[in-house]
Amino acid sequence: MAGILDVPKSRVNCSMLSQHINRAVCFVGRVEQVHPSGKSFSVSDGEGKRATVELSDPLEEELSGVVEVVGTVSAKGAILASCYTLLREDKGVAFDLELYNEALKLVQDFPQHYPFQAAASG
């Protein structure tokens, strides 16, 4: 059986999560708050909306900045993370979440041009 990293994943923002319940997704957002237990954190997308990311094991590192999360959307709309990657914002170049969000909207509006995304949403 293929793992979550081996299957197609839709790139989503907060407003798209409810359309992807029990599906693999990739979410990029800015870390807003880490729960004291280290087992969850909240992220904001390019529209300023927030989502919750739940982890199976507590964080072992400080988490801040922009993060890419791969996981499955739970019935309550949280992302059950399989893995995450911090996106470095060094050298004075900040990740533009608003521009990224606009790209997500284009992919959503024109699925005929993005068959991989459409297959992942399927």
Side-chain angles (χ1 to χ4, degrees):
M1 183 170 175
I4 193 167
L5 298 177
D6 301 322
V7 299
K9 293 164 279 306
S10 295
R11 289 190 170 270
V12 297
N13 62 17
C14 290
S15 62
M16 300 172 188
L17 288 173
S18 63
Q19 302 162 12
H20 293 83
I21 302 295
N22 296 323
R23 293 190 184 150
V25 297
C26 180
F27 184 98
V28 176
R30 185 166 305 281
V31 176
E32 296 294 336
Q33 185 176 18
V34 177
H35 189 274
S37 69
K39 299 248 326 182
S40 68
F41 57 93
S42 64
V43 288
S44 61
D45 65 11
E47 296 179 329
K49 296 178 182 172
R50 284 191 179 198
T52 299
V53 176
E54 296 179 355
L55 306 166
S56 55
D57 296 313
L59 290 167
E60 294 182 6
E61 62 185 329
E62 184 177 325
L63 199 58
S64 64
V66 177
V67 64
E68 178 183 64
V69 178
V70 173
T72 305
V73 182
S74 73
K76 62 181 182 176
I79 303 167
L80 307 176
S82 293
C83 64
Y84 66 89
T85 304
L86 289 172
L87 303 180
R88 295 182 53 181
E89 294 184 290
D90 56 358
K91 300 181 183 169
V93 179
F95 189 92
D96 191 334
L97 276 174
E98 290 178 10
L99 184 59
Y100 178 81
N101 193 66
E102 291 302 314
L104 288 179
K105 287 179 185 178
L106 282 173
V107 170
Q108 195 81 356
D109 290 345
F110 300 98
Q112 68 274 20
H113 298 293
Y114 303 96
F116 176 78
Q117 183 77 3
S121 296

